[in-house]
């Protein structure tokens, strides 16, 4: 019996179909979504759901081998990650420019739009494999 958080059906399907190295983007309400990747809009209202809640649910189902964030997400201090960053994974994030982050989103399998309104609350999760 599944004992993890309930996921949106479309999001659950995307996670189940991810292959090794596939990217899943979780972004704030202002992240531009390019044509191509599957779009999953979870936003209900300003701030709902927040990126932290969505990350917790996704990470309960997804094996992650790498994380990418835009430089701006660090807010100028390379040692102070935002409060929504999943420290529990023990994976040091790769940081890229905002422009490179947007280029990578175009190659993602899916982009999940949250109701988060914090600037640069965007993260790319790269699927790993459980052994």
């Amino acid at each position: 019996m599944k004992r993890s958080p309930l996921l949106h059906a479309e999001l659950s399907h995307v996670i189940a179909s991810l292959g090794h190295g596939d990217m899943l983007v979780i972004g704030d309400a202002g992240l531009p979504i390019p044509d191509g990747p599957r779009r999953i809009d979870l936003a209900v209202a300003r701030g709902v759901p927040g990126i932290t809640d969505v990350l917790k649910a996704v990470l309960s189902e997804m094996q992650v081998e790498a994380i990418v964030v835009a430089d701006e997400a660090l807010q100028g201090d390379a040692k102070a990650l935002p409060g929504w960053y999943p420290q529990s994974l023990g994976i040091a994030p790769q940081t890229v420019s905002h422009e490179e982050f947007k280029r990578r989103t175009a190659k993602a399998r899916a982009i999940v739009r949250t109701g988060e309104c914090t600037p640069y609350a965007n993260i790319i999760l790269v699927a790993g494999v459980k052994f």
Side-chain angles (χ1 to χ4, degrees):
M1 175 182 276
K2 183 175 174 177
R3 297 183 186 267
S4 57
L6 180 63
L7 287 182
H8 181 276
E10 190 175 3
L11 179 54
S12 184
H13 176 73
V14 166
I15 292 171
S17 66
L18 290 174
H20 183 241
D22 285 343
M23 294 183 292
L24 176 68
V25 178
I26 301 175
D28 60 32
L31 178 67
I33 299 177
D35 291 333
R38 187 174 187 171
R39 299 166 184 232
I40 302 172
D41 190 351
L42 301 180
V44 175
R46 183 179 177 90
V48 180
I51 192 167
T52 303
D53 295 327
V54 175
L55 271 170
K56 284 179 188 175
V58 167
L59 294 173
S60 73
E61 298 288 323
M62 182 180 173
Q63 178 69 31
V64 176
E65 81 173 23
I67 293 172
V68 180
V69 296
D71 293 331
E72 295 93 344
L74 301 178
Q75 301 171 351
D77 184 353
K79 293 185 169 113
L81 287 167
W84 53 261
Y85 178 76
Q87 304 282 354
S88 62
L89 287 177
I91 299 171
Q94 175 188 4
T95 58
V96 295
S97 70
H98 185 69
E99 290 306 312
E100 176 61 20
F101 188 91
K102 288 194 297 187
R103 277 192 290 278
R104 290 187 188 194
T105 63
K107 298 175 184 172
R109 289 285 301 276
I111 299 177
V112 180
R113 181 175 170 261
T114 68
E116 186 71 48
C117 292
T118 305
Y120 306 113
N122 306 305
I123 189 167
I124 297 173
L125 303 174
V126 181
V129 179
K130 290 185 181 182
F131 289 106

